[in-house]
Amino acid sequence: MLGLRVAHSVACSEVEGPFRRHVVWVQGCTLACPGCCNPELFPAAGGRWRAVSELRAELGEARALHGVEGLTVLGGEPSEQLAGATALCEAARELGLGVILFSGRTRGELAALAGGAALLAAVDTLIDGRFEASQREPAGGRRFIGSRNQGLLHLSPRYADPALWRGSAGVELQVAPDGRVSLHGAPVLAGRLARALG
């Protein structure tokens, strides 16, 4: 059974890509970019194993309950769980949802992986390349993107309108039904909010 080690997911977010999105953070990343906003997702052993069929059901529920337009997959490094990440992205497409994938690997590196072409075929927009802390995306730059060196590659026209990637970065605080609190979105803003709530 195909699955993924998932660190976290939210049913509906408006700060992890254009429109309302279901978001899945995968666990595990050997790239370990210095200054990454999610270093707790580096160890492969963390998170919880989830069947893709279960994640697909959550996607359908998020579409029905929250009107999500798409799925965002980030991490961690999705390409280090290639089969599961591909199956999840394909499931989103089957539901009529758009797919945005964040990867520290470049498009060329992803394409060179066995199975990488199938992943890219299931993605509408790819944000690719290692995060470079010394090249942080400036305020007023491309929103949702960590550093200037990272690519914004539209593999379909779905999110190709440049206006979707301009504007102020946002941050969300969400409380899950079980009482767990998550803070996500623009890392610098999230850090400020976390300190203020401290």
Side-chain angles (χ1 to χ4, degrees):
M1 181 184 298
L2 275 175
L4 286 164
R5 290 206 71 80
V6 173
H8 184 58
S9 65
V10 294
C12 180
S13 171
E14 295 184 34
V15 298
E16 300 294 350
F19 311 117
R20 291 183 175 182
R21 315 196 64 75
H22 186 78
V23 185
V24 175
W25 286 263
V26 301
Q27 182 73 38
C29 179
T30 59
L31 300 176
C33 298
C36 175
C37 62
N38 293 325
E40 68 279 7
L41 304 187
F42 293 168
R48 182 166 69 96
W49 191 88
R50 307 277 309 279
V52 170
S53 58
E54 179 186 358
L55 295 169
R56 186 188 196 283
E58 287 182 1
L59 273 169
E61 186 176 301
R63 184 183 64 175
L65 293 178
H66 305 291
V68 298
E69 185 279 338
L71 167 71
T72 296
V73 182
L74 62 170
E77 175 50 50
S79 68
E80 294 184 6
Q81 301 186 65
L82 193 57
T86 300
L88 177 60
C89 294
E90 290 172 345
R93 281 286 193 75
E94 289 165 6
L95 291 168
L97 300 174
V99 177
I100 296 174
L101 180 80
F102 285 77
S103 175
R105 290 188 164 83
T106 65
R107 180 182 183 177
E109 289 172 324
L110 292 171
L113 297 172
L119 174 63
L120 292 172
V123 171
D124 292 291
T125 293
L126 171 69
I127 291 85
D128 78 337
R130 304 330 185 246
F131 170 72
E132 294 284 347
S134 64
Q135 297 187 51
R136 284 187 191 278
E137 191 73 25
R142 302 170 300 171
R143 60 180 181 154
F144 315 120
I145 298 174
S147 58
R148 294 188 309 274
N149 62 294
Q150 292 176 304
L152 173 61
L153 307 174
H154 302 297
L155 309 182
S156 87
R158 188 164 188 150
Y159 303 116
D161 180 354
L164 295 175
W165 302 91
R166 290 194 299 263
S168 300
V171 65
E172 289 176 343
L173 185 134
Q174 294 197 11
V175 181
D178 65 3
R180 287 181 298 140
V181 176
S182 68
L183 187 62
H184 53 93
V188 172
L189 291 177
R192 287 180 191 154
L193 180 56
R195 287 189 295 277
L197 295 172

